[in-house]
Every structure is written in C-alpha cells, then in structure tokens.
Amino acid sequence: MSLFSTTDTLPFAIALALLIFLAIIEVLGLLFASSPSHWLDSIMPHADLDGPNALDWLHVGKVPVLVLLILLLTGFSLSGYAIQMTVQTVLGHTLPAWLVCIPAVFLGLTNASLFGGIVARLIPSDETSAVSEQSLMGQTAVIIQGLARRGAAAQAKVVDQHGHAHYVLVEPEADDESFNEGETVLLLSKKGVHFRCI
C-alpha cells in the first residue's frame, strides 16, 4: 500500500483521481439532463486536415473526447503503477516519477488509440447523404412530365452527387422558351417552389 502513497506515484494517483472526478461529473450531468461530454466535444476545434495525423490515430471526431480522455487517463495511471510495482519488486525501490511518466504517457496514448478504435466502430455514424436544394443548382435535369414554359412548370428528374434522384418543378428562365418531355435542362436558380432552367 505504501506504493500508492509515495511521491513517485503521485502523477498516477492524480490521473486516477481525475478519472473518478470525470466519471462523477458525467453521472451528475446525466441526472440534470446535461452532458459534459457533449459540451467538451462542442468546444473542440474541428479542423479538416489533409492526410493522416495524430488526431486520426486517436480517433478524435469519431469518439467523444471525454471517452478518449478517460481511456488516456486509465492507460497512463495503470501503466504507471504497473511499472513502479515491477521496478520495486525487481530493484527494491521505485523510480523517479518523471522517468516513469515517459513510458506511461506513451502507453496511455496507445490505450486511447486501441480502445478508441473499438469504441469508434461501436458508435453509429452521423453521416448523411441528404443534400440541400442549393446544391442542385448547376446540375442537369431531364423533363419527365409536362411541357415546361413560363408560368406552367413541368416535372424534371435530377441526380445529386450521391446518385440519388430528386424530382423538381422547372420552368424556363426566358419568357419565350419551352421544354418538352425528354429534354435535358440546366438548373440555374430557384424562385418559390420552381427551379428556373435553360
């Protein structure tokens, strides 16, 4: 038990205490319909970085930050205690805390990466293939029903970047133009519920 009260294990004891504190805060937050983990995720910067980076390795953005922090603190604390216990058994004394913190930080990050990847696969994805009407501007559409003329819209089919078909009402941009069924038109703008096309 003296190992848990020595200054050589103080960083690992602090990490363990912080871990317990975070768990209590999260439980209290859930009791009051507020989640500290959601707040923590909302203040994290969401930079789009090209190529693989350390944040990808830690699954930031795929796993809640609080979960990653708990995994990091758990790995750091347990590996620190394990190293000190092993050294004390072999050598009869513990190593300075700063020296043990080096491998403990690495093991904590490895723990967060390994188990963060498992958690990332368990969490459902928030991705969607929904598109806005603005994203249909500049796309080509095919008139499938009716004659499109000014004041009398026809139905047209447009396919978005995900390959999903959308059915829209179109009328010509120019007053003297009209488009028959089967003709391909270019969607320019939207006025009310109708798309203007050429």
Side-chain angles (χ1 to χ4, degrees), residues 122-154:
L122 296 176
I123 293 177
S125 175
D126 289 339
E127 291 181 20
T128 178
S129 59
V131 295
S132 69
E133 289 182 334
Q134 291 295 327
S135 69
L136 299 178
M137 307 296 184
Q139 301 289 326
T140 57
V142 177
I143 308 286
I144 59 168
Q145 184 179 4
L147 173 67
R149 59 182 189 278
R150 203 60 178 272

PDB file of all heavy atoms in Angstrom, residues 122-154:
ATOM      1  N   LEU A 122     -18.226   0.908 -32.595  1.00  0.00           N
ATOM      2  CA  LEU A 122     -19.491   0.639 -31.915  1.00  0.00           C
ATOM      3  C   LEU A 122     -20.466   1.811 -31.999  1.00  0.00           C
ATOM      4  O   LEU A 122     -21.673   1.621 -31.909  1.00  0.00           O
ATOM      5  CB  LEU A 122     -19.235   0.303 -30.440  1.00  0.00           C
ATOM      6  CG  LEU A 122     -18.425  -0.967 -30.169  1.00  0.00           C
ATOM      7  CD1 LEU A 122     -18.155  -1.124 -28.679  1.00  0.00           C
ATOM      8  CD2 LEU A 122     -19.148  -2.200 -30.694  1.00  0.00           C
ATOM      9  N   ILE A 123     -19.918   3.038 -32.146  1.00  0.00           N
ATOM     10  CA  ILE A 123     -20.765   4.227 -32.186  1.00  0.00           C
ATOM     11  C   ILE A 123     -21.355   4.372 -33.582  1.00  0.00           C
ATOM     12  O   ILE A 123     -20.628   4.332 -34.572  1.00  0.00           O
ATOM     13  CB  ILE A 123     -19.946   5.484 -31.814  1.00  0.00           C
ATOM     14  CG1 ILE A 123     -19.532   5.415 -30.350  1.00  0.00           C
ATOM     15  CG2 ILE A 123     -20.753   6.752 -32.071  1.00  0.00           C
ATOM     16  CD1 ILE A 123     -18.662   6.569 -29.910  1.00  0.00           C
ATOM     17  N   PRO A 124     -22.673   4.564 -33.676  1.00  0.00           N
ATOM     18  CA  PRO A 124     -23.280   4.739 -35.001  1.00  0.00           C
ATOM     19  C   PRO A 124     -22.792   6.025 -35.657  1.00  0.00           C
ATOM     20  O   PRO A 124     -22.550   7.022 -34.998  1.00  0.00           O
ATOM     21  CB  PRO A 124     -24.790   4.796 -34.713  1.00  0.00           C
ATOM     22  CG  PRO A 124     -24.918   5.071 -33.269  1.00  0.00           C
ATOM     23  CD  PRO A 124     -23.654   4.614 -32.604  1.00  0.00           C
ATOM     24  N   SER A 125     -22.679   5.989 -36.978  1.00  0.00           N
ATOM     25  CA  SER A 125     -22.181   7.143 -37.734  1.00  0.00           C
ATOM     26  C   SER A 125     -23.281   8.182 -37.907  1.00  0.00           C
ATOM     27  O   SER A 125     -24.445   7.860 -38.047  1.00  0.00           O
ATOM     28  CB  SER A 125     -21.695   6.670 -39.101  1.00  0.00           C
ATOM     29  OG  SER A 125     -21.315   7.765 -39.884  1.00  0.00           O
ATOM     30  N   ASP A 126     -22.871   9.464 -37.895  1.00  0.00           N
ATOM     31  CA  ASP A 126     -23.808  10.567 -38.094  1.00  0.00           C
ATOM     32  C   ASP A 126     -23.837  11.039 -39.540  1.00  0.00           C
ATOM     33  O   ASP A 126     -24.461  12.034 -39.853  1.00  0.00           O
ATOM     34  CB  ASP A 126     -23.421  11.768 -37.217  1.00  0.00           C
ATOM     35  CG  ASP A 126     -23.700  11.498 -35.749  1.00  0.00           C
ATOM     36  OD1 ASP A 126     -24.513  10.611 -35.466  1.00  0.00           O
ATOM     37  OD2 ASP A 126     -23.104  12.177 -34.910  1.00  0.00           O
ATOM     38  N   GLU A 127     -23.140  10.344 -40.418  1.00  0.00           N
ATOM     39  CA  GLU A 127     -23.054  10.814 -41.798  1.00  0.00           C
ATOM     40  C   GLU A 127     -24.390  10.668 -42.503  1.00  0.00           C
ATOM     41  O   GLU A 127     -25.156   9.756 -42.240  1.00  0.00           O
ATOM     42  CB  GLU A 127     -21.989  10.024 -42.552  1.00  0.00           C
ATOM     43  CG  GLU A 127     -20.588  10.325 -42.074  1.00  0.00           C
ATOM     44  CD  GLU A 127     -19.546   9.556 -42.841  1.00  0.00           C
ATOM     45  OE1 GLU A 127     -19.863   9.089 -43.961  1.00  0.00           O
ATOM     46  OE2 GLU A 127     -18.438   9.420 -42.336  1.00  0.00           O
ATOM     47  N   THR A 128     -24.645  11.590 -43.401  1.00  0.00           N
ATOM     48  CA  THR A 128     -25.889  11.567 -44.159  1.00  0.00           C
ATOM     49  C   THR A 128     -25.593  11.871 -45.622  1.00  0.00           C
ATOM     50  O   THR A 128     -24.590  12.491 -45.938  1.00  0.00           O
ATOM     51  CB  THR A 128     -26.898  12.596 -43.600  1.00  0.00           C
ATOM     52  OG1 THR A 128     -28.078  12.547 -44.406  1.00  0.00           O
ATOM     53  CG2 THR A 128     -26.344  14.008 -43.618  1.00  0.00           C
ATOM     54  N   SER A 129     -26.482  11.439 -46.485  1.00  0.00           N
ATOM     55  CA  SER A 129     -26.328  11.749 -47.910  1.00  0.00           C
ATOM     56  C   SER A 129     -27.377  12.763 -48.341  1.00  0.00           C
ATOM     57  O   SER A 129     -27.605  12.949 -49.524  1.00  0.00           O
ATOM     58  CB  SER A 129     -26.432  10.475 -48.739  1.00  0.00           C
ATOM     59  OG  SER A 129     -27.676   9.849 -48.525  1.00  0.00           O
ATOM     60  N   ALA A 130     -28.017  13.423 -47.367  1.00  0.00           N
ATOM     61  CA  ALA A 130     -29.000  14.448 -47.702  1.00  0.00           C
ATOM     62  C   ALA A 130     -28.288  15.650 -48.333  1.00  0.00           C
ATOM     63  O   ALA A 130     -27.173  15.984 -47.952  1.00  0.00           O
ATOM     64  CB  ALA A 130     -29.753  14.890 -46.453  1.00  0.00           C
ATOM     65  N   VAL A 131     -28.938  16.274 -49.303  1.00  0.00           N
ATOM     66  CA  VAL A 131     -28.355  17.436 -49.963  1.00  0.00           C
ATOM     67  C   VAL A 131     -29.344  18.596 -49.896  1.00  0.00           C
ATOM     68  O   VAL A 131     -30.552  18.399 -49.785  1.00  0.00           O
ATOM     69  CB  VAL A 131     -27.993  17.145 -51.442  1.00  0.00           C
ATOM     70  CG1 VAL A 131     -26.908  16.099 -51.540  1.00  0.00           C
ATOM     71  CG2 VAL A 131     -29.210  16.743 -52.239  1.00  0.00           C
ATOM     72  N   SER A 132     -28.827  19.797 -49.970  1.00  0.00           N
ATOM     73  CA  SER A 132     -29.689  20.975 -49.975  1.00  0.00           C
ATOM     74  C   SER A 132     -30.141  21.264 -51.402  1.00  0.00           C
ATOM     75  O   SER A 132     -29.514  20.822 -52.368  1.00  0.00           O
ATOM     76  CB  SER A 132     -28.932  22.180 -49.415  1.00  0.00           C
ATOM     77  OG  SER A 132     -27.913  22.561 -50.317  1.00  0.00           O
ATOM     78  N   GLU A 133     -31.202  22.037 -51.506  1.00  0.00           N
ATOM     79  CA  GLU A 133     -31.684  22.413 -52.844  1.00  0.00           C
ATOM     80  C   GLU A 133     -30.651  23.285 -53.554  1.00  0.00           C
ATOM     81  O   GLU A 133     -30.538  23.258 -54.765  1.00  0.00           O
ATOM     82  CB  GLU A 133     -33.022  23.142 -52.732  1.00  0.00           C
ATOM     83  CG  GLU A 133     -34.159  22.226 -52.331  1.00  0.00           C
ATOM     84  CD  GLU A 133     -35.496  22.945 -52.276  1.00  0.00           C
ATOM     85  OE1 GLU A 133     -35.507  24.170 -52.058  1.00  0.00           O
ATOM     86  OE2 GLU A 133     -36.519  22.271 -52.456  1.00  0.00           O
ATOM     87  N   GLN A 134     -29.873  24.051 -52.791  1.00  0.00           N
ATOM     88  CA  GLN A 134     -28.838  24.899 -53.387  1.00  0.00           C
ATOM     89  C   GLN A 134     -27.799  24.064 -54.124  1.00  0.00           C
ATOM     90  O   GLN A 134     -27.246  24.498 -55.127  1.00  0.00           O
ATOM     91  CB  GLN A 134     -28.153  25.740 -52.304  1.00  0.00           C
ATOM     92  CG  GLN A 134     -29.037  26.808 -51.698  1.00  0.00           C
ATOM     93  CD  GLN A 134     -29.418  27.871 -52.724  1.00  0.00           C
ATOM     94  OE1 GLN A 134     -28.648  28.184 -53.617  1.00  0.00           O
ATOM     95  NE2 GLN A 134     -30.625  28.401 -52.595  1.00  0.00           N
ATOM     96  N   SER A 135     -27.527  22.847 -53.618  1.00  0.00           N
ATOM     97  CA  SER A 135     -26.509  22.007 -54.262  1.00  0.00           C
ATOM     98  C   SER A 135     -26.981  21.470 -55.616  1.00  0.00           C
ATOM     99  O   SER A 135     -26.183  20.968 -56.399  1.00  0.00           O
ATOM    100  CB  SER A 135     -26.119  20.842 -53.348  1.00  0.00           C
ATOM    101  OG  SER A 135     -27.190  19.931 -53.226  1.00  0.00           O
ATOM    102  N   LEU A 136     -28.287  21.585 -55.900  1.00  0.00           N
ATOM    103  CA  LEU A 136     -28.803  21.128 -57.193  1.00  0.00           C
ATOM    104  C   LEU A 136     -28.606  22.173 -58.290  1.00  0.00           C
ATOM    105  O   LEU A 136     -28.713  21.855 -59.473  1.00  0.00           O
ATOM    106  CB  LEU A 136     -30.290  20.763 -57.077  1.00  0.00           C
ATOM    107  CG  LEU A 136     -30.626  19.624 -56.103  1.00  0.00           C
ATOM    108  CD1 LEU A 136     -32.137  19.412 -56.048  1.00  0.00           C
ATOM    109  CD2 LEU A 136     -29.922  18.341 -56.489  1.00  0.00           C
ATOM    110  N   MET A 137     -28.306  23.417 -57.885  1.00  0.00           N
ATOM    111  CA  MET A 137     -28.061  24.471 -58.881  1.00  0.00           C
ATOM    112  C   MET A 137     -26.835  24.097 -59.705  1.00  0.00           C
ATOM    113  O   MET A 137     -25.827  23.634 -59.184  1.00  0.00           O
ATOM    114  CB  MET A 137     -27.799  25.824 -58.224  1.00  0.00           C
ATOM    115  CG  MET A 137     -28.840  26.257 -57.240  1.00  0.00           C
ATOM    116  SD  MET A 137     -30.428  26.525 -57.998  1.00  0.00           S
ATOM    117  CE  MET A 137     -31.320  27.117 -56.585  1.00  0.00           C
ATOM    118  N   GLY A 138     -26.927  24.296 -61.008  1.00  0.00           N
ATOM    119  CA  GLY A 138     -25.815  23.956 -61.890  1.00  0.00           C
ATOM    120  C   GLY A 138     -25.833  22.512 -62.358  1.00  0.00           C
ATOM    121  O   GLY A 138     -24.990  22.103 -63.160  1.00  0.00           O
ATOM    122  N   GLN A 139     -26.799  21.708 -61.877  1.00  0.00           N
ATOM    123  CA  GLN A 139     -26.930  20.317 -62.295  1.00  0.00           C
ATOM    124  C   GLN A 139     -27.870  20.230 -63.504  1.00  0.00           C
ATOM    125  O   GLN A 139     -28.722  21.089 -63.709  1.00  0.00           O
ATOM    126  CB  GLN A 139     -27.512  19.463 -61.154  1.00  0.00           C
ATOM    127  CG  GLN A 139     -26.694  19.472 -59.877  1.00  0.00           C
ATOM    128  CD  GLN A 139     -25.395  18.714 -60.039  1.00  0.00           C
ATOM    129  OE1 GLN A 139     -25.324  17.725 -60.751  1.00  0.00           O
ATOM    130  NE2 GLN A 139     -24.346  19.197 -59.382  1.00  0.00           N
ATOM    131  N   THR A 140     -27.712  19.178 -64.261  1.00  0.00           N
ATOM    132  CA  THR A 140     -28.634  18.967 -65.388  1.00  0.00           C
ATOM    133  C   THR A 140     -29.796  18.096 -64.929  1.00  0.00           C
ATOM    134  O   THR A 140     -29.636  17.232 -64.068  1.00  0.00           O
ATOM    135  CB  THR A 140     -27.922  18.288 -66.573  1.00  0.00           C
ATOM    136  OG1 THR A 140     -27.356  17.053 -66.134  1.00  0.00           O
ATOM    137  CG2 THR A 140     -26.854  19.185 -67.148  1.00  0.00           C
ATOM    138  N   ALA A 141     -30.956  18.352 -65.505  1.00  0.00           N
ATOM    139  CA  ALA A 141     -32.165  17.601 -65.185  1.00  0.00           C
ATOM    140  C   ALA A 141     -32.856  17.214 -66.492  1.00  0.00           C
ATOM    141  O   ALA A 141     -32.672  17.863 -67.519  1.00  0.00           O
ATOM    142  CB  ALA A 141     -33.096  18.433 -64.317  1.00  0.00           C
ATOM    143  N   VAL A 142     -33.645  16.167 -66.435  1.00  0.00           N
ATOM    144  CA  VAL A 142     -34.394  15.704 -67.610  1.00  0.00           C
ATOM    145  C   VAL A 142     -35.886  15.908 -67.335  1.00  0.00           C
ATOM    146  O   VAL A 142     -36.393  15.491 -66.282  1.00  0.00           O
ATOM    147  CB  VAL A 142     -34.102  14.209 -67.900  1.00  0.00           C
ATOM    148  CG1 VAL A 142     -34.941  13.723 -69.072  1.00  0.00           C
ATOM    149  CG2 VAL A 142     -32.625  14.000 -68.172  1.00  0.00           C
ATOM    150  N   ILE A 143     -36.563  16.565 -68.266  1.00  0.00           N
ATOM    151  CA  ILE A 143     -38.008  16.766 -68.138  1.00  0.00           C
ATOM    152  C   ILE A 143     -38.681  15.404 -68.285  1.00  0.00           C
ATOM    153  O   ILE A 143     -38.485  14.709 -69.285  1.00  0.00           O
ATOM    154  CB  ILE A 143     -38.555  17.714 -69.227  1.00  0.00           C
ATOM    155  CG1 ILE A 143     -37.781  19.029 -69.281  1.00  0.00           C
ATOM    156  CG2 ILE A 143     -40.048  17.948 -69.059  1.00  0.00           C
ATOM    157  CD1 ILE A 143     -38.043  19.979 -68.169  1.00  0.00           C
ATOM    158  N   ILE A 144     -39.462  14.989 -67.276  1.00  0.00           N
ATOM    159  CA  ILE A 144     -40.098  13.667 -67.343  1.00  0.00           C
ATOM    160  C   ILE A 144     -41.615  13.738 -67.488  1.00  0.00           C
ATOM    161  O   ILE A 144     -42.246  12.758 -67.858  1.00  0.00           O
ATOM    162  CB  ILE A 144     -39.736  12.804 -66.115  1.00  0.00           C
ATOM    163  CG1 ILE A 144     -40.165  13.480 -64.813  1.00  0.00           C
ATOM    164  CG2 ILE A 144     -38.260  12.477 -66.084  1.00  0.00           C
ATOM    165  CD1 ILE A 144     -40.093  12.577 -63.601  1.00  0.00           C
ATOM    166  N   GLN A 145     -42.193  14.927 -67.190  1.00  0.00           N
ATOM    167  CA  GLN A 145     -43.646  15.016 -67.323  1.00  0.00           C
ATOM    168  C   GLN A 145     -44.049  16.464 -67.557  1.00  0.00           C
ATOM    169  O   GLN A 145     -43.677  17.348 -66.797  1.00  0.00           O
ATOM    170  CB  GLN A 145     -44.327  14.477 -66.060  1.00  0.00           C
ATOM    171  CG  GLN A 145     -45.829  14.463 -66.167  1.00  0.00           C
ATOM    172  CD  GLN A 145     -46.482  13.892 -64.908  1.00  0.00           C
ATOM    173  OE1 GLN A 145     -45.824  13.573 -63.939  1.00  0.00           O
ATOM    174  NE2 GLN A 145     -47.785  13.758 -64.959  1.00  0.00           N
ATOM    175  N   GLY A 146     -44.807  16.695 -68.608  1.00  0.00           N
ATOM    176  CA  GLY A 146     -45.345  18.018 -68.900  1.00  0.00           C
ATOM    177  C   GLY A 146     -44.474  18.827 -69.843  1.00  0.00           C
ATOM    178  O   GLY A 146     -43.382  18.420 -70.234  1.00  0.00           O
ATOM    179  N   LEU A 147     -44.991  19.977 -70.196  1.00  0.00           N
ATOM    180  CA  LEU A 147     -44.285  20.933 -71.040  1.00  0.00           C
ATOM    181  C   LEU A 147     -43.887  22.103 -70.148  1.00  0.00           C
ATOM    182  O   LEU A 147     -44.743  22.734 -69.527  1.00  0.00           O
ATOM    183  CB  LEU A 147     -45.199  21.412 -72.180  1.00  0.00           C
ATOM    184  CG  LEU A 147     -44.663  22.541 -73.052  1.00  0.00           C
ATOM    185  CD1 LEU A 147     -43.460  22.065 -73.879  1.00  0.00           C
ATOM    186  CD2 LEU A 147     -45.769  23.075 -73.959  1.00  0.00           C
ATOM    187  N   ALA A 148     -42.593  22.378 -70.085  1.00  0.00           N
ATOM    188  CA  ALA A 148     -42.110  23.471 -69.234  1.00  0.00           C
ATOM    189  C   ALA A 148     -42.153  24.770 -70.011  1.00  0.00           C
ATOM    190  O   ALA A 148     -41.499  24.921 -71.041  1.00  0.00           O
ATOM    191  CB  ALA A 148     -40.688  23.174 -68.767  1.00  0.00           C
ATOM    192  N   ARG A 149     -42.971  25.710 -69.548  1.00  0.00           N
ATOM    193  CA  ARG A 149     -42.981  27.047 -70.118  1.00  0.00           C
ATOM    194  C   ARG A 149     -43.224  28.026 -68.983  1.00  0.00           C
ATOM    195  O   ARG A 149     -43.601  27.629 -67.879  1.00  0.00           O
ATOM    196  CB  ARG A 149     -44.028  27.170 -71.227  1.00  0.00           C
ATOM    197  CG  ARG A 149     -45.435  26.899 -70.831  1.00  0.00           C
ATOM    198  CD  ARG A 149     -46.380  27.002 -72.046  1.00  0.00           C
ATOM    199  NE  ARG A 149     -47.756  26.958 -71.629  1.00  0.00           N
ATOM    200  CZ  ARG A 149     -48.420  25.849 -71.362  1.00  0.00           C
ATOM    201  NH1 ARG A 149     -47.825  24.677 -71.480  1.00  0.00           N
ATOM    202  NH2 ARG A 149     -49.677  25.898 -70.976  1.00  0.00           N
ATOM    203  N   ARG A 150     -42.977  29.294 -69.261  1.00  0.00           N
ATOM    204  CA  ARG A 150     -43.090  30.300 -68.213  1.00  0.00           C
ATOM    205  C   ARG A 150     -44.509  30.338 -67.674  1.00  0.00           C
ATOM    206  O   ARG A 150     -45.472  30.439 -68.437  1.00  0.00           O
ATOM    207  CB  ARG A 150     -42.687  31.662 -68.785  1.00  0.00           C
ATOM    208  CG  ARG A 150     -42.227  32.645 -67.733  1.00  0.00           C
ATOM    209  CD  ARG A 150     -41.000  32.094 -66.986  1.00  0.00           C
ATOM    210  NE  ARG A 150     -40.496  33.002 -66.005  1.00  0.00           N
ATOM    211  CZ  ARG A 150     -39.608  33.939 -66.236  1.00  0.00           C
ATOM    212  NH1 ARG A 150     -39.128  34.103 -67.453  1.00  0.00           N
ATOM    213  NH2 ARG A 150     -39.205  34.715 -65.266  1.00  0.00           N
ATOM    214  N   GLY A 151     -44.665  30.172 -66.351  1.00  0.00           N
ATOM    215  CA  GLY A 151     -45.979  30.165 -65.713  1.00  0.00           C
ATOM    216  C   GLY A 151     -46.602  28.785 -65.622  1.00  0.00           C
ATOM    217  O   GLY A 151     -47.632  28.610 -64.983  1.00  0.00           O
ATOM    218  N   ALA A 152     -46.008  27.771 -66.281  1.00  0.00           N
ATOM    219  CA  ALA A 152     -46.508  26.397 -66.236  1.00  0.00           C
ATOM    220  C   ALA A 152     -45.317  25.460 -66.109  1.00  0.00           C
ATOM    221  O   ALA A 152     -44.648  25.152 -67.095  1.00  0.00           O
ATOM    222  CB  ALA A 152     -47.319  26.071 -67.478  1.00  0.00           C
ATOM    223  N   ALA A 153     -45.056  25.033 -64.892  1.00  0.00           N
ATOM    224  CA  ALA A 153     -43.872  24.208 -64.621  1.00  0.00           C
ATOM    225  C   ALA A 153     -44.105  22.762 -65.038  1.00  0.00           C
ATOM    226  O   ALA A 153     -45.238  22.279 -65.061  1.00  0.00           O
ATOM    227  CB  ALA A 153     -43.519  24.263 -63.146  1.00  0.00           C
ATOM    228  N   ALA A 154     -43.002  22.093 -65.359  1.00  0.00           N
ATOM    229  CA  ALA A 154     -43.026  20.659 -65.670  1.00  0.00           C
ATOM    230  C   ALA A 154     -42.177  19.936 -64.616  1.00  0.00           C
ATOM    231  O   ALA A 154     -41.344  20.555 -63.948  1.00  0.00           O
ATOM    232  CB  ALA A 154     -42.457  20.407 -67.060  1.00  0.00           C
TER     233      ALA A 154
END
